[in-house]
Amino acid sequence: MIIFVTGGAGFIGSNFIYYMLKKYPDYRLVCVDKLTYAGNISTLQKAMENANFRFVKADICDRDTIYALFEEEKPDIVVNFAAESHVDRSIEDPEVFLQTNIIGTAVLMDACRKYGIKRYHQISTDEVYGDLPLDRPDLFFTEMTPLHTSSPYSSSKASADLLVLSYYRTYGLPVSISRCSNNYGPYHFPEKLIPLMIVNALHDKPLPVYGEGLNVRDWLYVEDHCSAIDMIIHNGGVGEVYNVGGHNEMKNIDIVKLICKELDKPESLIIYVADRKGHDMRYAIDPTKIHKELGWLPKTKFADGIKKTIQWYLNNREWWETILSGEYQNYYEKMYSQIHNRQCE
Ligand code: NAD
Ligand code: DAU
């Protein structure tokens, strides 16, 4: 079995590569990644030691290179993680999101049509459903919830989903889609809430909470997402969409306070800054379909997962300190430099 993992030098893709190499020692995994600011080759250092792993630096929008790779490797399965993934960046500069998330998806699927494939799996997100009101805890996203996006990021992901389903209907391409809630765990890029708060707290820097911190996200340990994808690509239905989430809704402010507590840092580090534009209030996944059809259930409870994650950041300082000392510094300064001006009353 040969699996192409696009975006495998990023957070979830790299966790998936390690998960699959361990579980299926006979599979060949080919990681295709452009190594944008979010891709980190050092993350894949251990995978490089495995003879069944190959890394190729390439842009999924580069049709000639992608076709040549398909011709050479003849993959059985493609799992597409490659994406611009940060909502705040999409608000500042949407274009690259449209390019990678939509056009890149089309190029990959065209290659699948041309060279043949057993399964094309698209990694999507719960953000395609928009948000839920805080005062309706009875509501959840199901696979039938209409797409209703808020940010350029989520709109690009929803566009890709529609494209994937159209390739199924029009060309009969054997596709599947998973829409997962917020992941956390090792190798999470420090621009995202949980790692940002961990590394800032470790440096005794301000912990910038958008708005009042009441927005709710549904957190899943990354390994549980990987096991869901594994089940879908092997046993999931063609043309099907699966929601993935572990019923673990938490307010942002509670997460930040918990990180302070775990690291023994004062809550006085928390500052409330201006809200994200179009900020989604609440995400909450109904994972009934994947549970009933494929028997998937998450294994890691948040109380354990967050401890493991914090410990990982404590044990792997070099990984994130290298990121903090590079190009990311410019982004952080641009995004948060006016932190005091942006502070809410
Ligand atoms: P990430 O930003 O950490 O990694 C993205 C990877 O894609 C990076 O390695 C980057 O170099 C690569 N990449 C970007 N543009 C590329 C291009 N044009 N060609 C090839 N490679 C390219 O993202 P992540 O958090 O690991 O998310 C992976 C996928 O999962 C995304 O599709 C995202 O929408 C989806 N998702 C993420 C979450 C989450 O909580 N992080 C939840 C649900 C779904
Ligand atoms: O739900 C799945 C999505 O989860 C994925 O599709 C995205 O790729 C992924 O980035 C994530 O999106 P979010 O916008 O939910 O994640 P983020 O970590 O950026 O923010 C989580 C919450 O924390 C959100 O309500 C905004 C808030 N936040 C974030 C940052 C970076 C803050 O309050 N302060 C911050 O500095």
Side-chain angles (χ1 to χ4, degrees):
M1 183 75 86
I2 301 175
I3 305 186
F4 269 22
V5 182
T6 62
F11 166 44
I12 309 175
S14 59
N15 277 282
F16 182 71
I17 285 169
Y18 285 117
Y19 179 93
M20 296 297 281
L21 285 175
K22 190 170 169 198
K23 184 160 176 193
Y24 303 100
D26 296 337
Y27 284 16
R28 176 170 170 76
L29 273 87
V30 179
C31 171
V32 182
D33 198 297
K34 187 183 176 183
L35 295 182
T36 67
Y37 79 93
N40 197 332
I41 194 70
S42 77
T43 301
L44 295 172
Q45 210 175 323
K46 281 199 203 100
M48 302 283 190
E49 291 160 15
N50 190 315
N52 281 342
F53 177 76
R54 177 183 176 195
F55 177 80
V56 180
K57 184 174 187 296
D59 185 337
I60 57 164
C61 302
D62 177 351
R63 195 173 284 272
D64 291 345
T65 304
I66 294 297
Y67 282 15
L69 258 176
F70 269 70
E71 184 137 12
E72 185 191 347
E73 290 279 355
K74 300 188 176 44
D76 299 290
I77 296 176
V78 173
V79 185
N80 180 24
F81 293 90
E84 288 294 331
S85 68
H86 194 34
V87 173
D88 291 328
R89 287 186 193 249
S90 84
I91 294 166
E92 291 306 310
D93 187 8
E95 194 174 336
V96 66
F97 284 74
L98 311 184
Q99 194 61 33
T100 289
N101 299 3
I102 307 173
I103 304 297
T105 299
V107 169
L108 288 173
M109 290 194 298
D110 286 341
C112 292
R113 286 172 56 213
K114 188 170 160 72
Y115 296 98
I117 201 79
K118 291 197 180 100
R119 178 67 63 95
Y120 173 87
H121 183 72
Q122 177 74 1
I123 304 296
S124 185
T125 166
D126 59 359
E127 295 202 17
V128 298
Y129 299 122
D131 62 354
L132 297 163
L134 287 181
D135 61 358
R136 289 292 309 275
D138 56 312
L139 295 181
F140 295 91
F141 297 136
T142 73
E143 290 79 1
M144 303 306 287
T145 302
L147 305 191
H148 184 78
T149 55
S150 311
S151 69
Y153 162 70
S154 55
S155 302
S156 69
K157 294 296 290 183
S159 305
D161 282 14
L162 292 175
L163 208 55
V164 171
L165 294 173
S166 78
Y167 272 56
Y168 170 61
R169 171 145 179 179
T170 304
Y171 306 115
L173 195 72
V175 305
S176 47
I177 297 177
S178 51
R179 294 181 180 146
C180 190
S181 61
N182 285 62
N183 286 213
Y184 68 102
Y187 301 115
H188 203 180
F189 195 84
E191 67 188 346
K192 307 284 169 59
L193 179 79
I194 288 183
L196 186 142
M197 296 301 165
I198 295 172
V199 307
N200 277 19
L202 286 171
H203 287 142
D204 296 306
K205 280 172 69 172
L207 308 177
V209 171
Y210 298 165
E212 294 178 82
L214 300 178
N215 306 65
V216 169
R217 297 292 182 267
D218 184 356
W219 294 95
L220 184 74
Y221 193 62
V222 63
E223 207 171 76
D224 284 323
H225 186 185
C226 295
S227 73
I229 300 163
D230 174 19
M231 285 180 181
I232 297 168
I233 60 177
H234 287 102
N235 301 314
V238 164
E240 294 294 325
V241 175
Y242 294 91
N243 281 356
V244 183
H247 280 302
N248 183 65
E249 290 178 51
M250 290 188 68
K251 288 189 201 114
N252 293 340
I253 188 64
D254 293 338
I255 300 248
V256 180
K257 285 181 177 169
L258 181 64
I259 290 169
C260 289
K261 190 166 166 245
E262 291 291 335
L263 289 172
D264 198 19
K265 297 289 179 182
E267 285 184 10
S268 56
L269 285 177
I270 297 172
I271 60 165
Y272 293 91
V273 300
D275 212 347
R276 174 184 277 174
K277 289 181 187 138
H279 199 172
D280 282 336
M281 278 320 296
R282 171 177 167 247
Y283 302 146
I285 281 280
D286 175 352
T288 306
K289 177 174 172 179
I290 189 168
H291 174 57
K292 286 209 167 138
E293 280 189 19
L294 304 179
W296 177 85
L297 277 177
K299 287 199 175 119
T300 304
K301 290 196 175 69
F302 188 78
D304 302 328
I306 193 71
K307 281 194 173 70
K308 275 206 275 190
T309 303
I310 290 173
Q311 196 54 51
W312 188 88
Y313 280 84
L314 287 169
N315 295 345
N316 292 274
R317 285 188 95 105
E318 204 186 324
W319 183 84
W320 53 267
E321 273 170 358
T322 308
I323 292 170
L324 297 193
S325 65
E327 178 55 27
Y328 175 70
Q329 221 172 38
N330 297 334
Y331 165 79
Y332 189 86
E333 266 154 32
K334 193 168 160 223
M335 180 78 196
Y336 296 97
S337 65
Q338 294 158 348
I339 222 160
H340 296 294
N341 304 341
R342 296 173 69 223
Q343 249 175 305
C344 294
E345 293 299 295

